[in-house]
Amino acid sequence: MRSLLFVPGNELKKIQKAAAISADAFILDWEDSVLPSHRKAARELTRNFLLQNEHLQPRALLRINPAGSKDFELDCQALADLPITGILLSKCQSAQEVRCLAGVLDRSDAEGRIRVHALIESAAGILNAPQISSSCARMGSLAFGSEDYCADLGILRTPGDIELLFARSALVTAGRAFGLEVIDSPCLDLNDQAKLQREAQAARNLGFSGKLAIHPSQVPVLNQCFSPTETEIETAKRILAAFSSGTCGVLTVNGQMVDEAVLRRARQILKMS
């Protein structure tokens, strides 16, 4: 998933608009973007919308409240029979929290079609990322929530976000080690497309597969940044062609030494295209 667009779960017009946008997924939010007093209405509105638009299931995710909270219990009660592809578990800190949600899903989704996506937003979440990644068969991705993470650690951010490099690298390493996608936090500067592009490119360079979005205007930039360029695709094709006709484990393509690791990356790029 290259782009995942957050949409408040209690605003029908925004939900309808998001469903028509080219984001790889849209996340109907029952947590931070919805006031506690409006969450019951958000559950009801979201349920009605999804049940009336089951064709959106491959792209529809829900963000629910943290495990252990009162709203988590109410959210879980509202999940039954919803046509969604995944649940984004907010403020996830441990494998036990994932298994708690998975147990709820097992009762109404025995075939395991609904994936769990863990939103990591704290120091504990980063330290427990390997255990979270391997917590259950439903795991689909890890996502990074940088704002809550900064608040948890008392971080003062500077341009370039060097303060978050460890957390991002640790998250990517943990997720990729267990075959998961890893999604970067959203860019909060809605009017700075250049900054969004820089952030997205930096995230892709670190190994992230996509980025969260908070406005529809961010989606095209993310889709482009997390897709291979024509140059990358052509280079990957040349690498595969060279290996298919050769008998050596190490070749030179366009003056660059190419071995099994480079070949594996070429296959990944063509799979993304």
Side-chain angles (χ1 to χ4, degrees), residues 144 149-150 153 155-168:
F144 185 42
Y149 179 79
C150 287
L153 274 70
I155 289 174
L156 299 177
R157 297 172 75 165
T158 58
D161 276 349
I162 189 65
E163 304 82 6
L164 300 180
L165 180 58
F166 169 76
R168 285 189 163 115

Side-chain angles (χ1 to χ4, degrees), residues 68-209:
S69 67
K70 178 182 178 181
D71 277 305
F72 175 80
E73 300 298 327
L74 296 172
D75 290 347
C76 287
Q77 293 171 21
L79 293 178
D81 303 320
L82 278 183
I84 53 176
T85 191
I87 303 291
L88 184 64
L89 178 59
S90 61
K91 298 177 176 62
C92 182
Q93 300 199 81
S94 70
Q96 180 56 36
E97 293 176 357
V98 175
R99 287 193 285 267
C100 178
L101 173 59
V104 172
L105 295 174
D106 288 345
R107 293 195 285 272
S108 59
D109 176 40
E111 63 272 25
R113 61 181 175 82
I114 299 177
R115 313 297 285 180
V116 174
H117 306 274
L119 184 55
I120 309 298
E121 308 179 70
S122 66
I126 291 294
L127 291 179
N128 292 329
Q131 292 80 11
I132 291 170
S133 298
S134 58
S135 57
C136 73
R138 289 185 183 271
M139 283 301 302
S141 75
L142 301 180
F144 185 42
S146 62
E147 296 303 316
D148 281 278
Y149 179 79
C150 287
D152 188 40
L153 274 70
I155 289 174
L156 299 177
R157 297 172 75 165
T158 58
D161 276 349
I162 189 65
E163 304 82 6
L164 300 180
L165 180 58
F166 169 76
R168 285 189 163 115
S169 297
L171 202 66
V172 168
T173 301
R176 294 299 194 182
F178 292 95
L180 305 181
E181 291 192 76
V182 191
I183 313 299
D184 192 29
S185 55
C187 176
L188 302 186
D189 293 313
L190 299 181
N191 298 319
D192 194 339
Q193 294 285 73
K195 180 179 180 182
L196 173 64
Q197 190 161 14
R198 288 194 303 271
E199 285 191 9
Q201 187 60 57
R204 186 186 170 195
N205 291 349
L206 278 177
F208 284 92
S209 49

